[in-house]
Amino acid sequence: MLKTMLKIDTRFIHKDIRKRADDLLSPACNAFSELVAKTCRGREWTGFWNYPQQQGYEVNKGIDSYISTIPHAYDAVVLLGIGGSLQGVQAVHDALRKTRLRLLFAGYHLSAGMTNAVLEQLEQCQPLLVVVSKSGETLETAVAFRVFRNYLEQRYRKHEACQRTIVVTDPDSGSLRAFSNANNCQAFSIPADVGGRYSVLTAVGLVPLALAGYDTTMLLQGADAFYTQMINTDNPAVIYAATRNAAYQADKHVEVLSYCDPHLRSLAAWWQQLFGESEGKDGKGILPTTMALTSDLHALGQYLQDGRRNMLETFLVVEDMQSASTQVPTDPLPAVGQRQDYLANKTMQELNAIAINSTRLAHHDGGVPNMSIILSRLDAYGLGYLFAFWQTACAISGALLGVNPFDQDGVENYKRNMLALAGKSGLESEAEKLRSRLQ
Ligand code: PA5
């Protein structure tokens, strides 16, 4: 079972790229060894590798025992965060859709409308607030934290508001850590050696997912299985990293992740953030973008088939979506039935598989090399495996590209401008310069 949890199919990669990919396998294996040995560039950020065994299971136990002591009834969790502090949880929630309570998201935008919509939903609920920020300083999350803390304090008074607030942040520094210390709120730590987009399997993901009732042990076990197996077997992360770098060398500067079911939209967004923020630097990197099957075939499909040939396509295929089978009935209208008889009695799953295979062939023939990542089943275990696979592949791929896949200095530029324009003290002269450019 474990060996086939994830496979890579590269049959529809064009020959020249496959040849380059073969040449890159050895450097990719070296990059993988350096990651495992923690001798790679950015080694101080490699704590995600093998995290379940290093700390994850223990942290998970601590979270479970905290949950059993929460002193108030609750039927909703509001998660505040952005980027790596949020997207992994959205990915799991969107993919599995089985919570024992309402899981709501805020703090990842500056939309008053969306914030108010969440606040309105809380009127019918007894909420807990989980705020996740490694730095503790991110503006979007800080704004939402003030709004939702204010709401809790007005509704429950200060003491209970604190008991309904859970902080996930840096072990020692930042405003959120200071807040939790000063107010005696429950706090969990994000390991210092794990960066935001590599942190879904730490307290960042485990706390909100466990509160919502997801099987976080299975999530960790899936990742653990990947780490354990990869030491000894053919490594799909090496193959994926080598193939996408080979495509990049052949001037395929865009990677489209075409996912097989709309429930994978947030997972695709998580992948996009992981690769975009890890590789887009020093004037290099593949632009990661996503396409939902089959809806986007009626939006982007034309471009994929016939537009500029600068793309690599990766299909994310799940063999067992764990959803009930739905059969197409015989058409009750004879006139339509005559034309569409071939559909009768097929399942939607079968038709979706046919659509994916048809697309793979058509796009290959149209000049877009494509590979498929085939995950055997979509459950917490499978997702844990997939997270570990992609994080490992990203670290290897960044090394092949010649960048540090763990930093994100570029994100700081807009943040600094925003802090200056919002009036943060110490940035007054910067703010003045920015304002004069905007006039
Ligand atoms: O991957 C990253 O490091 C980023 O996407 C961060 O997760 C994101 O910017 C949020 O940062 P923080 O957790 O400090 O609020």
Side-chain angles (χ1 to χ4, degrees):
M1 178 192 77
L2 294 180
K3 271 207 163 143
T4 55
M5 181 48 79
L6 188 148
K7 293 175 286 199
I8 311 268
D9 179 353
T10 59
R11 275 176 301 161
F12 300 112
I13 290 292
H14 301 154
K15 268 195 196 130
D16 60 319
I17 296 178
R18 193 130 22 122
K19 163 87 187 59
R20 284 176 200 258
D22 286 345
D23 295 341
L24 284 173
L25 282 179
S26 166
C29 282
N30 290 341
F32 174 61
S33 304
E34 287 181 7
L35 168 69
V36 175
K38 295 189 184 292
T39 53
C40 58
R41 184 170 174 193
R43 61 187 70 87
E44 64 279 20
W45 295 101
T46 52
F48 74 92
W49 169 262
N50 208 19
Y51 180 79
Q53 291 213 17
Q54 297 299 324
Q55 296 178 42
Y57 291 123
E58 271 315 298
V59 169
N60 203 35
K61 267 193 223 156
I63 294 168
D64 282 348
S65 52
Y66 159 69
I67 289 176
S68 66
T69 65
I70 294 176
H72 303 288
Y74 59 95
D75 57 9
V77 169
V78 185
L79 172 58
L80 310 181
I82 193 168
S85 288
L86 179 98
Q87 294 199 182
V89 175
Q90 284 181 320
V92 174
H93 184 49
D94 202 7
L96 302 184
R97 309 172 304 282
K98 281 184 198 138
T99 41
R100 59 178 162 80
L101 45 67
R102 211 181 285 203
L103 183 54
L104 303 164
F105 301 98
Y108 63 100
H109 52 69
L110 291 168
S111 160
M114 286 179 73
T115 305
N116 291 336
V118 175
L119 284 168
E120 271 165 34
Q121 289 192 62
L122 294 190
E123 285 305 309
Q124 286 87 48
C125 307
Q126 299 292 333
L128 294 180
L129 188 63
V130 180
V131 54
V132 184
S133 176
K134 181 154 188 186
S135 61
E137 311 297 337
T138 302
L139 185 141
E140 292 89 335
T141 309
V143 168
F145 187 47
R146 288 189 188 202
V147 171
F148 284 89
R149 274 284 304 169
N150 190 45
Y151 172 85
L152 285 189
E153 287 200 11
Q154 298 209 346
R155 183 164 162 187
Y156 296 107
R157 305 274 166 240
K158 190 163 186 225
H159 181 66
E160 185 170 339
C162 282
Q163 291 182 321
R164 286 182 177 273
T165 302
I166 301 156
V167 169
V168 183
T169 191
D170 183 87
D172 307 306
S173 64
S175 302
L176 268 184
R177 177 58 62 181
F179 170 87
S180 70
N181 289 344
N183 292 283
N184 211 12
C185 283
Q186 177 65 37
F188 292 92
S189 296
I190 306 174
D193 59 354
V194 182
R197 57 196 174 276
Y198 292 84
S199 69
V200 54
L201 299 171
T202 70
V204 169
L206 297 177
V207 170
L209 289 170
L211 282 165
Y214 285 110
D215 191 338
T216 46
T217 306
M218 285 284 272
L219 200 62
L220 289 170
Q221 282 172 348
D224 192 3
F226 174 82
Y227 295 128
T228 309
Q229 281 175 284
M230 286 318 109
I231 303 288
N232 302 314
T233 55
D234 271 357
N235 187 336
V238 162
I239 296 167
Y240 177 61
T243 307
R244 64 197 300 284
N245 272 276
Y248 182 70
Q249 289 176 6
D251 291 334
K252 308 297 178 194
H253 290 169
V254 177
E255 181 178 6
V256 183
L257 183 74
S258 296
Y259 50 98
C260 67
D261 189 292
H263 282 126
L264 302 178
R265 185 179 303 277
S266 301
L267 181 64
W270 174 88
W271 165 88
Q272 186 176 37
Q273 191 224 350
L274 176 67
F275 279 87
E277 218 167 82
S278 298
E279 293 195 325
K281 50 195 72 158
D282 308 338
K284 300 185 207 173
I286 301 179
L287 175 70
T289 185
T290 67
M291 183 164 94
L293 295 182
T294 58
S295 55
D296 284 342
L297 289 175
H298 300 259
L300 291 172
Q302 170 64 36
Y303 193 102
L304 265 284
Q305 191 64 44
D306 207 20
R308 193 156 180 226
R309 306 294 74 188
N310 60 347
M311 291 169 290
L312 161 73
E313 187 174 18
T314 299
F315 288 87
L316 174 60
V317 180
V318 179
E319 285 174 329
D320 180 1
M321 284 292 292
Q322 311 259 296
S323 45
S325 168
T326 303
Q327 204 162 41
V328 183
T330 314
D331 201 305
L333 300 171
V336 177
Q338 274 163 20
R339 286 200 306 273
Q340 298 190 339
D341 253 0
Y342 62 93
L343 297 176
N345 301 325
K346 293 211 167 55
T347 63
M348 289 187 77
Q349 286 89 335
E350 278 176 280
L351 291 170
N352 200 30
I354 290 170
I356 294 161
N357 280 333
S358 307
T359 310
R360 293 166 75 195
L361 292 167
H363 290 179
H364 171 268
D365 296 346
V368 174
N370 66 71
M371 64 179 145
S372 297
I373 296 170
I374 303 162
L375 184 71
S376 69
R377 61 173 203 265
L378 192 73
D379 56 10
Y381 187 95
L383 282 173
Y385 198 98
L386 188 61
F387 283 136
F389 156 76
W390 258 330
Q391 289 176 342
T392 305
C394 189
I396 299 170
S397 185
L400 290 180
L401 192 65
V403 299
N404 179 350
F406 304 112
D407 62 10
Q408 61 282 327
D409 294 352
V411 183
E412 297 309 315
N413 295 23
Y414 106 92
K415 280 191 188 170
R416 199 174 163 83
N417 287 352
M418 199 162 65
L419 294 177
L421 289 173
K424 188 168 183 181
S425 68
L427 298 176
E428 290 80 1
S429 73
E430 245 171 284
E432 211 164 296
K433 281 185 207 146
L434 291 170
R435 274 194 211 100
S436 76
R437 285 172 60 200
L438 289 168
Q439 264 158 17

